[in-house]
Each structure stands twice: as structure tokens, then as C-alpha cells.
Amino acid sequence: MIAQVVVNRPLRKVFDYEIPAEFLKLLKKGHRVEVNFAGVRLGGYVVGLKKESRIKSLRKIEKIIDEDHLFSSRLLTVTREVARYYLCGWGEVLEAARGVSCSGKKVKLQPDEPFHRQTVFHKKLNTTGLKDVHRKKREDTIGKTASGEFKAFLYQPSDLKDKIDFYLRLIRGILRLKRSVMLLVPEVMAADSMFKRLELICPEETVMLHSRLTQREKDYNLRLLKEQKARLVIGTRSAVFAPLSDLGLIIVDEEESELFKKPDAPKFNAQKAALIRAEVEGCPVVLSSLTPSVESYYYALKRKYIFIGEKKKAPVSSKRAVIVDLRAEEDIYGRKSLLSFTLREKIEKSLKNKKSVVLLYNRRGFSTFIRCDKCGYNAVCPKCRMNLVYHYDKKKLLCHHCNYNAEPPKLCPECKSSYVKYSGFGTEKFESVLSRLYPASKVERLDVDTARPKGRRQKILSRYNKGDIDILIGTRILSRGVDFKNTGLIGIISADTFTQTTDFRGQEKLFRFLYMIINRAVSMKEIEIVIQTHLPTHFAIEAAVKMDRAGFYERELKEREELELPPFYHFNCINLRGKNEEKLIKKIKELNKIIRQEAKNYKNLSIIEAEPVNILKQRESYRQNIILKGKKLTDIYQVINKGLKLFKKSSDIFVTVDIDSLEYF
């Protein structure tokens, strides 16, 4: 007998190995095995079994690594299709999926184990008395497809309560059919929050899967799923490959989140992987978001997805959400400040009324730019070429890309002068400024730096929610988990940080950020919202303030069509990286020439090559992208496949393909 094996390498090939006599009765599809691959012992996965091979002399499988097979036939099909879509190795995808497959060791199920169930808040959820006829119709539509038909739905709730009510009713209906449900969320904190809300549906059959579980906890929960003792899984990106049997529904919460995209190879997106899995399993998939991605919204308009939800919502009173034109403030008062007079007045009013204040600013650190006024020296990371940021708490210069750190210079390293200037604002400096301006108030900061110790983020949020913090300053992570009940003011320090980027999704991200803040605050009658910007008439800001989702998507889609951007064109990258910059440039030019030549055979396909000056350096490696933009993904596949086949690879230059890329230059 012959085993067809794939290995964890960027190879889109299946290799034949002979099965030794002692393994014949043990080996199954989905088993992890050890093989001799090009003279190196590697772990591989058995994806097929057959009687004969065209290759006469075969190497033998050396070892069965796990007692039990890790992947069912359907999961093997799902991982194969994910690998095909993202042009990566099947073995690479299986290796990524192994994180949510049992380790292969038998785990004895003991209901009294400490990690058997997460802590539950036994608060009865009000899900009765819902009289929304449209909601009932949409639930019935999804429920009918759970019997074995694939359909994709785009659900746009009006608010958090509407979303949770919808999830509860939908999941209950699927579980009554004795089928299982998968709910994907973008991050661990969201998984914990969703677990607390949904576990009451079936407390003995709900498990979580995410990176903060220990391997033993993960193995235990996976064994429950595999043995069908749990039927509802709530998890992050890799949970899309969880070993659920008889899958009846997949929900992707916050489907637009970039956290669903794996940052390293294989670069798959769990949102797309969920669509693939639902099609293989023959079940419905619900993509859910208050502010869906522009691509998903477009697919709903084109009826590729079935749209569920309100298209418009009543506008917010302008008295509640105020847009402050920072240009006008600078002209009137002749100075630049991150705290406008309008915002300061609102802060003082809120504190006077014994209400807390939330201020959002999406830059960490104390000083974001360090330069010498005499010779022009800039403090940049030697590994990444990115600006170093001064952190006062640590008394260090830090790189926010690779975590490189250095001592802050007292004298300029280049000219030895004392004209070293620290400029720019981060949340750390903001905390210091606010503490001086409001000495009687308790000011705290919540960003990646203060949230990093385990449990620290939740402690800060808990103290704020109890009223122990008067002013809370933080980055975007602050927008999650805050209870706005005792909040009098939410201030967006600078809405411009979203548009000051090469990312064409900047406007979409700006709208989403503002909309989610305003949507959460709108039910609280006493909350005021101040949005500071140099672009007060920007359509994304105006649409968010009016809570006009349909209006924003209409305008954004029109612009993207004119500029030939997604969803009208596909953006895909071939990324090259290496330690030697000169060699990388040479290889980039070689591959670019080949790709351009191949692209000439296809219409509506163009190549965008970053200039050599734009070569990035991250973690001591130089990297650059060749971007392929085209209307048809199949044409792009052909060009990439042919181009890489003709390209003369080098052992010290690594090539990665990124389909539906979120990175560009």
C-alpha cells in the first residue's frame, strides 16, 4: 500500500511513500507521520491511500507520530481547497490547522477538571418577546439551509443587543436539529465576551479555542468536539479548522477584521476559509458586522451573499456628535494643540458633572520622532528602518515593529551635538499632559504597553467601569470592553491618523472606528462625542456622524471602481525577503521581468513594482512586494504559477505569495 503525503513546506505537491507492513492496519488518512524528505526527517500528513505508485523505488514511512488521526476526510478537503485558493502548500495549511487538532494523545475526559468550563455569569438573558417579523423570516431562511445546503449571508445588525439576540435564537435553532455550530471571533477578548453571553444556550456543550489556552486545555476541548460531546465552539482564526462533526452553521463575527488574516505563511484569511468550509460541509455561513468590509457589502449588493439587516439608521443629533476643525482652531488661536478649546471645555464640563471621560488616540509612546536639529539625524531602527519611539516609563527607544530597543541619546550619535529634539505625541505623553491639566482627577492609560501584563487590561477596564478612573486615555483597544454608563464624553483626538497612510482602506477604517464608537454611545443620552480633525468635511466622518452606512458604502464603492481597487479588482502580492539587500534587488528585478512578460498575455492585469528606494527592512530582513492587480483571480493565478516556475530561486531569498493581500508597499 502507498501513502500520499504532504509536508510542511511551500510545495504544492503530494509525495508517495511506501507503508511498512507493521503500519498497514494502523495508518489512516489524516495521520501525522515522519518521513525522509530529501535526506531530512520531516513531519508530514497522510492525505490519501492507494494500492500502487508510478514511482518504482519509494522511501518508507518511518514513524506514525500520533496515536489517532488528526483530520477527517472533510477537513482534508477544506485544507486542500484553502491551499489551492491561497497558492500555498497543503502541508503548510495542515500544519497551521494542527493547532486546533488534538495532539494525538488520548485525553481522559473528567468533568471535574478545573478547565472543564469557563467561569459563567448566571444572568438570564432576555430573548423572549421579539416581534421582529423580518428577523423571524431571516432566521427561518438560514435554518432551512442548515439541512445540507450552502448559502452565504451578510448580517448587519443595528446594535450589539440586536446581534446577540440574533445569535442566540439562530444557534438554539441549529442545536435543536442536533447539528453543531462554529462561531469565529477576531481576538481572544472577544471570544471570552461571546462565551459569557452564549454559553447559557448549552452550558455542557460549549467550548472555546484560542491561543491563550494551555495545550492540555486545548486538547481536552478538542476531544470533546471530536467525540461530539460539545457542539458549539467559539474561537479565533485557527478555530475554523476545529474537528466539528455534522456542522450546521458557521458565524463569522466582525467579519471585516484584519485579525482573521494570518500574517505569516500560509497567509490565509479565516473569513474566506469559513466560506470554503461551509461549502464543503453543506451548511450556511453568516458573515456578521455592524460595518462589513466594502468587499462583503458589494457581494451582498450583487446577490452573491444574502443581505440581512437595516440599510439605514436615523441620524445622530449634531448636538451629540461635534466635529472640531483643528485648522480653524489653529487660525484663531495661532497655535497647534492636540487638545482643542472645544474639547477642553467638554472635558471640564464632564468632570464637573461627575462623569468620566474617554479619550482615544492611536499612537503609543511618549515622543514619536527623535531627530538632531543640527545635522538632521533621525533615530531609526537598525533592523527595520522604522522610526524609534521614546517610551518614558521604560526610558528606552523602542521599535513598534520588531521590539528592538536602545538607550535614548543624550548627544547626537552622528555630530555629537546636544541638539537632539524629542517631538510628536503618543498616549504616554498625553497621560502626562492630562495629569498636569487636571491634577484633581484620576488619569490612566490603556494601550498595548499597559495592557501587556496578563489580566492588566481587564483590571483597568473594571476600575473605569466602577468609576474609579476619571479620565481614561488609550489607543483603539480601549474602544472594546468599556462600559459607557458613567461616561460623559468620548473624545477622538485625531481622526486623521486613519487617512495618513498608503492603505486604500484608510477611509473604510476611519468610518468603521467612528461608527462603532458613536453606535455604542448613541443609546446613552448624556454622552457627548467630540471628533477632532483637519478634514471636517471628509465624507467618512460625516457619514459616521449621521450613522449613514448605506451612504458611506455607496460613495466608497464609487471611488474604488474609478480607481480600480477591490472589490472591482483583486490585489495580490509576491513577497521576496532576504538578508542581503543587493541580492534582493537583483532577484526582484529578475522576477518582475518574468511576471511582466507573462502578464502581457492577459487583459485587465497590471503589475505594480515598488521602487528600490521603498524596500522595507523588518527584523533584520529586507523585503519588497511585486503587486499583481487584475479583474480575474484565475488570470492572476496563471501568471504567478508560470512566473514562479520560470524564476530561478535562491536558497537565501524567500518567496511568499499573498492572495487578497492586506499589505502593499
Side-chain angles (χ1 to χ4, degrees):
M1 285 290 288
I2 308 301
Q4 295 175 291
V5 177
V6 293
V7 294
N8 181 24
R9 290 289 185 271
L11 301 169
R12 282 175 272 157
K13 291 182 180 180
V14 178
F15 301 92
D16 289 354
Y17 282 85
E18 185 183 337
I19 304 173
E22 64 269 26
F23 295 159
L24 283 173
K25 292 183 180 180
L26 300 173
L27 197 65
K28 297 177 183 177
K29 281 172 63 176
H31 255 124
R32 189 160 59 113
V33 294
E34 188 176 283
V35 295
N36 184 326
F37 185 82
V40 179
R41 283 193 172 188
L42 287 181
Y45 299 90
V46 177
V47 296
L49 298 170
K50 60 183 183 180
K51 292 182 179 180
E52 296 178 354
S53 173
R54 288 182 296 176
I55 302 168
K56 291 181 180 180
S57 180
L58 291 175
R59 287 177 172 151
K60 293 183 179 182
I61 286 175
E62 298 188 358
K63 181 182 178 183
I64 298 176
I65 296 174
D66 303 307
E67 295 177 39
D68 196 6
H69 65 288
L70 301 183
F71 300 101
S72 65
S73 292
R74 280 191 173 179
L75 270 178
L76 287 175
T77 303
V78 171
T79 51
R80 183 192 66 204
E81 293 306 311
V82 169
R84 282 178 177 173
Y85 184 86
Y86 287 101
L87 297 185
C88 58
W90 190 359
E92 289 182 293
V93 178
L94 285 168
E95 186 67 21
R98 188 167 67 88
V100 284
S101 297
C102 293
S103 64
K105 297 175 182 177
K106 300 291 184 183
V107 181
K108 191 176 180 181
L109 302 184
Q110 294 289 348
D112 58 345
E113 292 215 30
F115 54 81
H116 177 60
R117 289 285 176 265
Q118 306 292 326
T119 303
V120 183
F121 296 124
H122 291 284
K123 181 180 178 181
K124 190 174 180 181
L125 296 171
N126 181 20
T127 60
T128 58
L130 296 173
K131 297 180 181 179
D132 188 339
V133 177
H134 297 290
R135 180 185 285 122
K136 187 71 174 70
K137 284 182 179 178
R138 67 199 185 198
E139 289 165 13
D140 289 345
T141 303
I142 296 170
K144 286 174 184 176
T145 64
S147 59
E149 184 183 356
F150 164 71
K151 278 187 181 178
F153 298 83
L154 179 64
Y155 171 51
Q156 191 178 42
S158 58
D159 52 34
L160 181 63
K161 184 182 182 302
D162 180 45
K163 180 176 80 171
I164 297 301
D165 285 347
F166 179 60
Y167 287 1
L168 283 166
R169 292 170 67 90
L170 197 57
I171 292 169
R172 276 200 182 107
I174 301 299
L175 293 178
R176 284 194 197 105
L177 298 173
K178 302 299 181 184
R179 302 196 71 183
S180 54
V181 179
M182 174 190 294
L183 197 158
L184 300 176
V185 293
E187 57 179 334
V188 174
M189 188 175 178
D192 291 335
S193 175
M194 196 64 73
F195 187 93
K196 290 166 187 173
R197 288 186 170 99
L198 299 182
E199 197 210 23
L200 294 178
I201 298 174
C202 51
E204 295 304 313
E205 294 184 279
T206 305
V207 297
M208 284 203 297
L209 291 176
H210 56 67
S211 58
R212 290 189 190 169
L213 296 177
T214 66
Q215 188 58 50
R216 181 162 169 77
E217 289 171 336
K218 203 178 290 184
D219 281 349
Y220 180 81
N221 288 346
L222 286 163
R223 184 64 62 185
L224 286 172
L225 293 172
K226 207 165 186 181
E227 297 182 1
Q228 300 183 46
K229 293 180 179 178
R231 292 187 296 140
L232 171 58
V233 61
I234 300 168
T236 48
R237 181 176 59 223
S238 58
V240 72
F241 300 116
L244 281 162
S245 300
D246 202 15
L247 191 56
L249 173 67
I250 300 174
I251 300 173
V252 184
D253 189 50
E254 296 183 46
E255 63 88 26
E256 80 289 349
S257 176
E258 292 186 357
L259 294 174
F260 281 125
K261 179 84 180 213
K262 193 168 180 290
D264 52 2
K267 293 189 172 186
F268 70 87
N269 191 316
Q271 187 251 42
K272 178 62 181 177
L275 287 162
I276 291 171
R277 180 155 191 188
E279 191 165 8
V280 171
E281 299 276 0
C283 73
V285 57
V286 176
L287 308 178
S288 172
S289 177
L290 277 169
T291 53
S293 68
V294 172
E295 290 87 341
S296 292
Y297 193 88
Y298 174 75
Y299 295 144
L301 290 177
K302 293 297 178 182
R303 301 185 183 276
K304 184 177 178 180
Y305 300 158
I306 299 170
F307 184 84
I308 300 170
E310 300 175 359
K311 291 189 177 180
K312 288 191 177 181
K313 188 170 180 173
V316 179
S317 168
S318 59
K319 294 178 182 178
R320 297 277 309 286
V322 179
I323 300 173
V324 176
D325 185 353
L326 291 176
R327 295 173 305 176
E329 290 248 348
E330 290 163 11
D331 290 342
I332 294 169
Y333 301 107
R335 68 181 185 88
K336 290 184 178 182
S337 174
L338 286 179
L339 282 177
S340 64
F341 279 90
T342 303
L343 183 55
R344 288 185 64 170
E345 285 176 359
K346 300 285 186 184
I347 292 172
E348 288 161 9
K349 176 186 171 183
S350 187
L351 294 174
K352 188 178 179 181
N353 293 334
K354 306 296 182 185
K355 292 287 184 179
S356 300
V357 175
V358 170
L359 298 175
L360 296 159
Y361 186 57
N362 207 38
R363 284 197 175 127
R364 293 161 50 208
F366 194 86
S367 298
T368 56
F369 191 62
I370 297 94
R371 72 185 296 272
C372 174
D373 282 347
K374 186 176 180 181
C375 72
Y377 161 80
N378 292 332
V380 296
C381 175
K383 296 181 179 180
C384 294
R385 290 181 175 170
M386 308 301 285
N387 283 341
L388 292 173
V389 177
Y390 177 60
H391 285 249
Y392 182 81
D393 281 356
K394 298 180 176 71
K395 301 290 190 295
K396 294 279 188 182
L397 299 182
L398 298 180
C399 174
H400 290 172
H401 295 266
C402 73
N403 296 322
Y404 169 84
N405 68 83
E407 295 295 324
K410 294 178 181 178
L411 298 176
C412 173
E414 297 289 337
C415 69
K416 309 303 178 186
S417 72
S418 58
Y419 295 100
V420 178
K421 185 178 180 181
Y422 290 71
S423 57
F425 265 79
T427 49
E428 200 176 18
K429 185 183 284 189
F430 230 125
E431 181 186 21
S432 175
V433 169
L434 289 165
S435 296
R436 291 199 302 271
L437 286 173
Y438 307 104
S441 301
K442 178 62 179 173
V443 180
E444 282 211 30
R445 170 170 54 96
L446 180 57
D447 53 26
V448 171
D449 302 307
T450 58
R452 193 160 279 151
K454 191 174 181 180
R456 175 72 174 156
R457 175 180 179 174
Q458 201 53 49
K459 285 179 182 177
I460 294 172
L461 289 173
S462 178
R463 291 181 58 237
Y464 178 83
N465 295 339
K466 288 177 183 176
D468 296 336
I469 299 172
D470 300 312
I471 302 175
L472 187 57
I473 171 81
T475 52
R476 270 186 286 180
I477 66 168
L478 176 54
S479 60
R480 297 179 183 275
V482 176
D483 185 348
F484 288 149
K485 286 180 183 176
N486 194 47
T487 302
L489 174 68
I490 300 171
I492 313 298
I493 303 303
S494 177
D496 305 337
T497 54
F498 290 91
T499 56
Q500 296 167 348
T501 173
T502 58
D503 184 0
F504 70 83
R505 290 186 174 88
Q507 295 179 158
E508 179 186 351
K509 292 175 182 177
L510 170 60
F511 171 77
R512 179 172 297 118
F513 175 68
L514 295 178
Y515 184 91
M516 291 180 76
I517 293 293
I518 294 169
N519 185 72
R520 285 193 62 200
V522 73
S523 59
M524 311 290 181
K525 294 182 180 179
E526 297 181 6
I527 294 182
E528 291 185 287
I529 301 162
V530 175
I531 302 167
Q532 296 189 151
T533 178
H534 288 87
L535 304 166
T537 59
H538 195 291
F539 80 92
I541 297 174
E542 290 183 337
V545 169
K546 294 175 184 176
M547 299 194 79
D548 183 9
R549 292 184 287 193
F552 168 77
Y553 287 112
E554 183 181 345
R555 171 77 179 269
E556 180 71 5
L557 281 168
K558 186 179 178 181
E559 284 196 6
R560 291 203 189 178
E561 186 173 20
E562 290 172 356
L563 297 170
E564 298 183 347
L565 296 171
F568 303 96
Y569 278 71
H570 293 276
F571 268 48
N572 306 278
C573 291
I574 303 174
N575 175 262
L576 274 71
R577 61 184 173 87
K579 302 282 187 182
N580 187 308
E581 185 176 11
E582 288 183 10
K583 191 168 185 179
L584 180 69
I585 292 171
K586 181 184 176 183
K587 284 295 180 183
I588 276 281
K589 288 179 178 178
E590 286 178 16
L591 182 56
N592 181 60
K593 186 179 179 181
I594 295 168
I595 293 291
R596 284 186 183 279
Q597 187 62 39
E598 290 298 325
K600 288 179 182 179
N601 301 319
Y602 299 89
K603 292 180 180 179
N604 299 313
L605 200 157
S606 58
I607 310 300
I608 305 170
E609 180 196 8
E611 294 298 321
V613 71
N614 289 330
I615 284 183
L616 297 175
K617 189 181 181 186
Q618 286 188 354
R619 297 175 179 87
E620 296 185 323
S621 286
Y622 297 95
R623 54 193 287 269
Q624 191 178 37
N625 292 329
I626 295 174
I627 303 166
L628 294 88
K629 184 177 80 168
K631 273 195 171 183
K632 293 182 179 179
L633 197 54
T634 51
D635 291 349
I636 293 172
Y637 284 160
Q638 292 285 342
V639 172
I640 291 175
N641 285 333
K642 290 177 182 177
L644 291 180
K645 203 170 183 179
L646 295 169
F647 178 58
K648 191 178 288 186
K649 297 178 179 65
S650 176
S651 60
D652 54 352
I653 299 293
F654 299 93
V655 181
T656 307
V657 177
D658 188 2
I659 301 296
D660 298 333
S661 179
L662 299 179
E663 296 179 36
Y664 302 103
F665 301 103

